[in-house]
Amino acid sequence: MADQNPMNTRVSPSTLREDGSVLEGLQTIPTYNPQRTEATVAFLENAQAEMIRLQKLEIQLKAQHKAALDEVRQAEWTFHKGIQAAKTSVVAQFGPDSSEVQKVGRKKKSAYNRPTRQPKTESQRKKAA
């Protein structure tokens, strides 16, 4: 089984709240001086600020994405309704059996076959009797 990179998934909100509490605790320890730079209070404060900034940006971009989806959906329906109106106009202007009707993707009226009555089969006649 392939190793899964834990950075491919989001950190849960409860874990982030706990991490924030740990940072607050570290800020109250005046003698805290780690050897690793990524564990210093200053680094963690900057990382938290960047995380919050990017989370806010994500929320804004999601809202913009939803608005763009709504605009695109509206534009698609406007275009589609316009095409439907154009097809109806072609039928009204040139008639339902014209070549122009075929050019806009519809069938000529004469292309539709009238339904014909099927003669009863022998088994149907026996059932009726």
Side-chain angles (χ1 to χ4, degrees), residues 13-127:
S14 61
T15 302
L16 290 175
R17 281 192 296 278
E18 290 171 15
D19 291 347
S21 296
V22 171
L23 177 59
E24 290 173 5
L26 288 174
Q27 291 168 331
T28 64
I29 305 172
T31 57
Y32 176 68
N33 189 16
Q35 297 296 315
R36 299 172 62 182
T37 53
E38 68 269 11
T40 63
V41 172
F43 180 88
L44 294 171
E45 288 171 342
N46 288 337
Q48 183 185 42
E50 179 70 1
M51 175 191 70
I52 291 170
R53 183 187 73 79
L54 290 173
Q55 285 173 336
K56 288 179 181 178
L57 178 62
E58 177 188 24
I59 291 168
Q60 293 169 351
L61 291 175
K62 281 182 179 179
Q64 289 175 353
H65 181 256
K66 285 181 182 178
L69 284 177
D70 288 344
E71 289 178 20
V72 168
R73 192 175 301 114
Q74 181 63 39
E76 289 170 349
W77 276 106
T78 300
F79 175 71
H80 180 64
K81 287 179 180 180
I83 292 297
Q84 288 177 325
K87 287 179 177 183
T88 303
S89 295
V90 167
V91 171
Q93 184 176 352
F94 298 103
D97 205 33
S98 66
S99 297
E100 287 81 1
V101 170
Q102 286 182 310
K103 291 178 183 178
V104 296
R106 289 197 172 167
K107 286 176 89 175
K108 286 183 174 184
K109 187 175 183 178
S110 61
Y112 290 99
N113 294 329
R114 288 190 64 162
T116 57
R117 228 176 155 159
Q118 299 293 326
K120 289 186 177 182
T121 62
E122 194 63 35
S123 63
Q124 289 174 334
R125 286 187 198 135
K126 288 180 183 177
K127 287 180 184 177

